Amino acid sequence: MPSLKDLKNRIESVKSTRKITKAMQMVAAAKLRRAQEAAEAGRPYAERMNAVLGGLAASVGGSDSAPKLLSGSGADQVHLLVVMTAERGLCGGFNSTIVRLARSRAQDLLAMGKTVKILTVGKKGREQLKRDLENHFVGHVDLSEVKRLGYSNAHDIAMDVLSRFDGGEFDVATIFYNRFQSVISQIPTAQQIIPAAFEETTESSTIYDYEPSEEGILEDLLPRGVATQIFAALLENGASEQGARMSAMDNATRNAGEMIDKLTIEYNRSRQAVITNELIEIISGAEAL
Amino acid sequence: MADTMQFDLVSPEKSLASAQVTEVQIPGAEGDLTAMPNHAPLITTLRPGILKTAGPEGAIEYVVTGGFAEISAAGTSVLAERAVPVSEMTQELLDEFVSEAVASRDNATAEALDALAKQAADIAAIGAYMGLSPKGA
């Protein structure tokens, strides 16, 4: 049976924990709004880019002159998995869900006899994958110093990936990230970026002139398309992270509140017990006289 | 014939402009071109340069560093990697563009060298147009 003082101390410590989680929740809420705005603002560019690339890919795709980024290197042996996670923890299952998806994909590929290479973005995913897949790591992108995600971050990652592709280091690249659905639900997603896969646009009614040639434009745009996809994924991931942290901290705050209530009842009970005890002692002492 | 057309300028991070305009002058990869309403559908890549729009709200100029433009009868959308209104262009920003371009030119392989050297020169030319002095190009 803990003493009254112990109980009081515990109540105090849970209270200060609740203050911290509450503050973190509010910070996450503010950051989430910013991240959502950023994701929203980036959407028109990505949509147009995909539409144009989709149209171009449909017209050039079949020919032999199609760029390698579109048609692939012809092999399916070496897979690059780009695993995007957060730099910080305390965001519920956010990092684990991405890692779980990436790990199961990696194990499937390994079971099929493929070679797997992993590029991690974000510290948390790296830490979690280290246990069983460390020898597949080929690189790491550290974004912990980045305050505000910009296109240049995505551009750098894309350049890294593209130079590896040009160097023949892999055949297929897939990015793993959490797609933002709502504050309580984020969907871990795997998206193939190389060779580029586009949704077929059915309403390609306009026939465009191209300057320079279709192939020339495609060659110029495909690397940008890769960067755009990575950027969109980073933004989605950013919003998801804050959403996940917000709901995790909301839960933590609520749990702390419940705990405080329970401890307070226990505290009051034991105080009452002490008083009752003392009364009994006094009364029985008086009766004994 | 319509007098104006829809003009959109978007960068990966945000949408910069969306307005009705009468004409857009675009620094295309193979030469400048001006798009007016009912232009034939065209997709062209951009070189670093000045993008000019004219419309009922007056003329606005933007510095773009590359990307592409999609022109159709109904409107023009420009997808620029980086775009800055000329009024907000500063010497520091220009220096940054120039040093980036020069760095990628200097790191380039032989076959890509021509294109990147041209890009660096184009960016330096923006400075000349605006009366800013590019360094180190």
Side-chain angles (χ1 to χ4, degrees), chain A residues 41 48 151 208-209 211 224, chain B residues 13 41 43-44 70 77 81:
Chain A
R48 298 257 165 97
Y151 181 69
Y208 286 100
D209 279 336
E211 194 183 297
R224 287 178 213 264
Chain B
E13 282 163 29
I43 291 178
T44 177
E70 183 190 359
S77 31
E81 206 122 279

Side-chain angles (χ1 to χ4, degrees), chain A residues 6-61:
Chain A
D6 289 342
L7 274 173
K8 207 166 190 172
N9 284 342
R10 269 205 68 200
I11 292 175
E12 279 313 306
S13 97
V14 176
K15 269 188 182 161
S16 53
T17 308
R18 183 173 66 173
K19 271 185 203 148
I20 293 171
T21 56
K22 182 90 192 163
M24 279 184 78
Q25 186 207 335
M26 291 198 289
V27 171
K31 282 190 179 164
L32 170 67
R33 210 172 42 234
R34 274 221 309 265
Q36 264 181 306
E37 276 165 17
E40 202 89 354
R43 216 158 280 158
Y45 185 89
E47 277 171 7
R48 298 257 165 97
M49 180 66 98
N50 277 340
V52 170
L53 277 174
L56 270 168
S59 64
V60 181

Side-chain angles (χ1 to χ4, degrees), chain A residues 1 4 43 45 64 85 88 117 150 154 168 180 190-191 194 203 232 240 246 274 285:
Chain A
M1 176 87 187
L4 278 181
R43 216 158 280 158
Y45 185 89
D64 294 337
T85 53
R88 291 192 191 85
K117 294 182 175 179
F180 184 80
Q191 187 179 338
I194 299 173
E203 28 92 45
S240 299
M246 200 175 120
V274 170

Side-chain angles (χ1 to χ4, degrees), chain A residues 204-223:
Chain A
S204 56
S205 49
T206 5
I207 295 154
Y208 286 100
D209 279 336
Y210 294 96
E211 194 183 297
S213 63
E214 290 185 7
E215 283 84 2
I217 291 193
L218 205 50
E219 218 147 287
D220 186 56
L221 287 193
L222 279 171

Side-chain angles (χ1 to χ4, degrees), chain A residues 49-91:
Chain A
M49 180 66 98
N50 277 340
V52 170
L53 277 174
L56 270 168
S59 64
V60 181
S63 70
D64 294 337
S65 57
K68 262 169 77 179
L69 273 178
L70 187 63
S71 58
S73 56
D76 181 29
Q77 183 54 35
V78 186
H79 286 250
L80 178 74
L81 310 183
V82 183
V83 184
M84 299 180 174
T85 53
E87 291 290 346
R88 291 192 191 85
L90 288 179
C91 42

